[in-house]
Structure formats: C-alpha cells, structure tokens
C-alpha cells in the first residue's frame, strides 16, 4: 500500500513530510520505487512518460497542482486510475489575492503612477470607481468563483464565463461558445482562470482581445486589461504584444507563459504596460499538498471516493 512521490522539484520535501505526518505509511521517492506492485498511490506533477502505467496496482493519482494539464502530457497515463486534483483554501485564498491585487493595480492606474514617480511628477490621473468597471472572469470554477465574490464585495461589476451554465450570487454568468461574445462585449478587465485543455489552448488570441468591450476606453480606463493566471498555453503572446501596441489592449498582468521560465529575450519582460510574475499567483505550500494527499488516501482506504476527481473527457 505504498505512496510514491514523483515528478516534482519538491518531491524530496514532499517525501520527507509525508513520512513525518504519517510515520506508519510506506512512502517512496521516485526513482526508488521498489517492487512495482507495491505502489497504490502517487503524488505526481510532471511524471516521465509511461512510468505511472508501470504500476499495476495504482489506485489513485493525486495531482500536486490544481491544473492537471502536465499529467495529460503523458500519452500512457493510466486511463482507469482516478486523478484527484489539489483544491485547498490556502491556494484559493492566494489566487483571490492575485486577481484582486491586479484588478486594483490597473483600475487605480498604478503603472502610470510608477512612471510619474520615476519622473518625480506630481499629477492626478483620472481613475474609475470599482462600480464603473466590469471584470469578466473566464473560468468560473473554484478559483474564478472565489475571486468573483471578493471583486463583487469591492464593488466591481462581475461577469463570469464557463463551459456549463452557472448561477453565482451577484455575478452575471455566461456559458459556452454562444455566451462568449456577449461576455467579452461587457468586459473591461478580463481575468483568465481556465484550465489548459484541447478546447482552451490559444483561446486568448488577437481575435478574442478585439472582442473585449470598447466602452471601457474612456479617460478613466484607457482600454481593456488582461490578467492571466490560468496557464501560459491559453495565450498567444505575439498576439498580446500586437494588441498592446495597436491600442486594442491597455495593459496586461501575466503570471503564466507559453514557455516557463519566460525566456530573457521575450519582449514581454520589457513592455512598459505588462506586469510579470513567475507563475506564483497562487503558490501551494508543500505542507498543504502533502496533507491533502494523505487525506485523499485515507478516504480511499475508508471506501470513500477521493475528492476533486478530474473529468478525463473534459481534461480538467
Ligand atoms: P476548476 O476546474 O474549478 O474551474 C475551471 C473553470 O473553467 C470551470 O468554470 C469550467 O467550466 C471552465 N472551463 C473549462 N473548460 C472550458 C471551456 N472549454 N470553455 C469555457 N469554460 C471552460 O479549476 P480551478 O478554478 O481550480 O483552476 C483553474 C486553473 O487555474 C487551473 O486549471 C490551473 O491551470 C490554474 N492555476 C494556476 C495557478 C497559478 O499559480 N498561476 C495556481 C492554481 C491553478 P465549468 O464550470 O462549466 O466546468
Ligand atoms: C497549479 C499551479 O495548477 O500551481 O496548482 O499552477
């Protein structure tokens, strides 16, 4: 009944913590897996292709991340083993902070104030009140819905878009292909919290950015803003740069990139209206991840289903 920790740069620390939190449990660290048939559970992130399939008694994969696109890169990912993705209030809270911080940063014109500060210029800039700004959240799941509630409490007009119809208190909800255009047309600040799947890859492209609201382009909010904390594969970076330079997009806060770490020669680093963070919008602590994993294993051993099971067909 061993747990294997595999495929994360924090694997050694997960392994040590799991052993200390559950001293009676057999916890192994890849590649020291021991006899393959012993492995029942895996705590995994970017696993080498084909390895998980080689454990004949694997019963549960726990994803180190809330997103599971990294696991699906393995073409031999065992099809019949459930995947529990990491969902935790600590991670959710951090993402809510990130989305709120960057929404406020752009509506309160902080990039422009930083430029004025560098020039020692004392000047008032027109700023919209929260109630004048429409924030559209693409991906109204665990993280999107929690962010929506806090933005709503700050007074923003909040819209959300997802795959299936939703009802979220105080949020105007749109769904599916048919809902995308009306959603974008009412969005001044687009916050992207989608998973990366076959359907969402490259969705944040020039065409989509052009469909954002044009009403937001008045002196208090000079143009639409993009915040992406979902996955880099959702965005087309050359299109974001072109949209910024063409005035179709006023600014962007990006936490995730097509290639990570973001290469030092990417023009995004030096763009005056782009804020870059190194994929840490919602850092997940090792302790929370390990405790989550052990909880899921306990559930399985009690005959319960693990929580937050990934829908294989949908890819998230
Ligand atoms: P959830 O699975 O709870 O929510 C995903 C949302 O996206 C759902 O509302 C879902 O719709 C919607 N969605 C999925 N596919 C489509 C589609 N094709 N069209 C429209 N909507 C779609 O995920 P979380 O909120 O927990 O996490 C979202 C993502 O955030 C993760 O997948 C991960 O990539 C990223 N992330 C980034 C972090 C960072 O530090 N930058 C940290 C943690 C996560 P529906 O409601 O209908 O299912
Ligand atoms: C995640 C992440 O998916 O950190 O949890 O990106």
């Amino acid at each position: 009944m061993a747990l294997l920790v595999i495929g994360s740069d924090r694997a050694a620390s997960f392994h040590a913590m799991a052993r200390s939190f559950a001293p009676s449990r057999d916890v192994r660290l890849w590649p020291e897996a021991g006899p393959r048939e012993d492995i029942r559970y895996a705590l995994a992130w970017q696993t080498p292709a084909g390895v998980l399939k080689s454990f004949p008694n694997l019963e549960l994969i726990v994803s180190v991340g809330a997103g599971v696109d990294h696991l699906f890169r393995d073409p031999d990912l065992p099809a019949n083993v459930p995947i529990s993705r990491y969902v935790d209030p600590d991670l959710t809270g951090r993402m809510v902070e990130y989305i709120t911080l960057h929404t406020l940063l752009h509506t309160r014109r902080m990039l422009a104030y930083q430029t004025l500060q560098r020039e020692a210029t004392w000047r008032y800039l027109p700023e919209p009140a929260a109630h004048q700004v429409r924030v559209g959240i693409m991906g109204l799941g665990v993280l999107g819905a929690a962010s929506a509630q806090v933005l709503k409490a700050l007074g923003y007009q909040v819209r959300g878009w997802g795959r299936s119809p939703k009802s979220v208190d105080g949020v105007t909800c749109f769904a599916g292909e048919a809902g995308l255009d009306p959603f974008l047309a009412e969005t001044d600040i687009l916050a992207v919290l989608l998973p990366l799947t076959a359907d969402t890859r490259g969705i944040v492209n020039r065409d989509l950015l052009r469909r954002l609201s044009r009403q937001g382009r008045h002196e208090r909010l000079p143009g639409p803003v993009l915040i992406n904390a979902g996955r880099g594969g959702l965005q087309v970076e050359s299109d974001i740069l072109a949209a910024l330079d063409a005035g179709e997009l006023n600014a962007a806060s990006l936490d995730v990139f097509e290639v990570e770490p973001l290469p030092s020669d990417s023009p995004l680093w030096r763009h005056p209206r782009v804020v870059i963070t190194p994929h840490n919008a919602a850092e997940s602590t090792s302790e929370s991840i390990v405790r989550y994993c052990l909880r899921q294993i306990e559930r399985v051993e009690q005959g319960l289903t693990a929580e937050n099971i990934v829908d294989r067909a949908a890819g998230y």
Side-chain angles (χ1 to χ4, degrees):
M1 302 285 259
L3 162 65
L4 179 70
V5 182
I6 178 168
S8 163
D9 53 5
R10 289 189 278 167
S13 105
F14 294 153
H15 177 247
M17 277 185 190
R19 290 176 69 152
S20 116
F21 298 160
S24 58
R25 191 166 289 286
D26 181 353
V27 188
R28 302 182 191 174
L29 179 61
W30 174 260
E32 310 297 325
R36 303 250 151 182
E37 55 281 4
D38 292 356
I39 305 299
R40 292 291 169 98
Y41 317 107
L43 175 59
W45 179 242
Q46 286 166 345
T47 49
V51 170
L52 289 178
K53 197 181 175 184
S54 70
F55 302 111
N57 296 320
L58 192 61
E59 283 177 34
L60 177 69
I61 299 168
V62 178
S63 166
V64 166
V68 289
D69 45 295
H70 52 286
L71 289 173
F72 286 115
R73 280 186 218 148
D74 178 353
D76 290 322
L77 188 67
N80 50 354
V81 179
I83 301 171
S84 164
R85 71 185 189 94
Y86 178 60
V87 174
D88 187 89
D90 181 76
L91 181 146
T92 302
R94 289 167 193 254
M95 183 59 88
V96 171
E97 287 170 12
Y98 178 90
I99 298 295
T100 309
L101 169 71
H102 288 267
T103 301
L104 285 165
L105 178 135
H106 293 291
T107 47
R108 299 305 304 259
R109 312 280 306 267
M110 282 310 296
L111 292 182
Y113 280 122
Q114 276 174 345
T115 305
L116 292 174
Q117 181 178 343
R118 278 192 289 274
E119 298 162 358
T121 301
W122 181 280
R123 184 189 303 153
Y124 293 117
L125 295 174
E127 297 167 26
H131 68 83
Q132 295 173 304
V133 179
R134 298 161 303 172
V135 184
I137 303 180
M138 280 183 105
L140 211 43
V142 174
L143 303 179
S147 303
Q149 290 310 322
V150 172
L151 292 171
K152 182 79 202 137
L154 286 174
Y156 288 97
Q157 299 176 47
V158 187
R159 280 96 172 95
W161 182 73
R163 207 160 59 104
S164 51
K166 282 247 157 21
S167 157
V168 178
D169 197 27
V171 177
T172 312
C173 297
F174 300 84
E177 200 46 49
L180 186 55
D181 259 333
F183 163 78
L184 294 170
E186 292 186 5
T187 292
D188 302 315
I189 295 187
L190 181 69
V192 183
L193 283 171
L194 287 168
L196 181 61
T197 66
D199 290 338
T200 61
R201 184 173 289 281
I203 192 167
V204 182
N205 55 33
R206 187 98 183 252
D207 172 54
L208 179 135
L209 295 172
R210 280 185 172 139
R211 286 144 73 197
L212 287 168
S213 169
R214 286 168 186 273
Q215 285 165 23
R217 298 173 198 196
H218 51 71
E219 62 158 3
R220 291 187 178 270
L221 190 69
V225 171
L226 167 68
I227 301 172
N228 185 8
R231 280 288 182 266
L234 299 167
Q235 71 198 16
V236 180
E237 286 164 18
S238 54
D239 283 8
I240 293 173
L241 284 159
L244 282 163
D245 293 340
E248 292 158 9
L249 195 60
N250 181 49
S253 286
L254 305 175
D255 182 60
V256 288
F257 301 91
E258 288 172 11
V259 175
E260 294 180 4
L262 181 63
S264 58
D265 61 355
S266 166
L268 287 170
W269 280 114
R270 279 163 283 281
H271 199 289
R273 284 176 284 121
V274 175
V275 182
I276 287 177
T277 47
H279 195 146
N280 74 337
E283 179 202 337
S284 8
T285 65
S286 301
E287 176 169 349
S288 308
I289 290 170
V290 171
R291 291 200 188 280
Y292 176 84
C293 173
L294 293 171
R295 250 190 347 263
Q296 302 317 313
I297 293 173
E298 277 163 26
R299 285 181 67 91
V300 170
E301 290 179 349
Q302 287 161 7
L304 300 168
T305 314
E307 296 166 298
N308 308 305
I309 294 296
V310 169
D311 175 342
R312 292 293 191 109
Y316 67 96

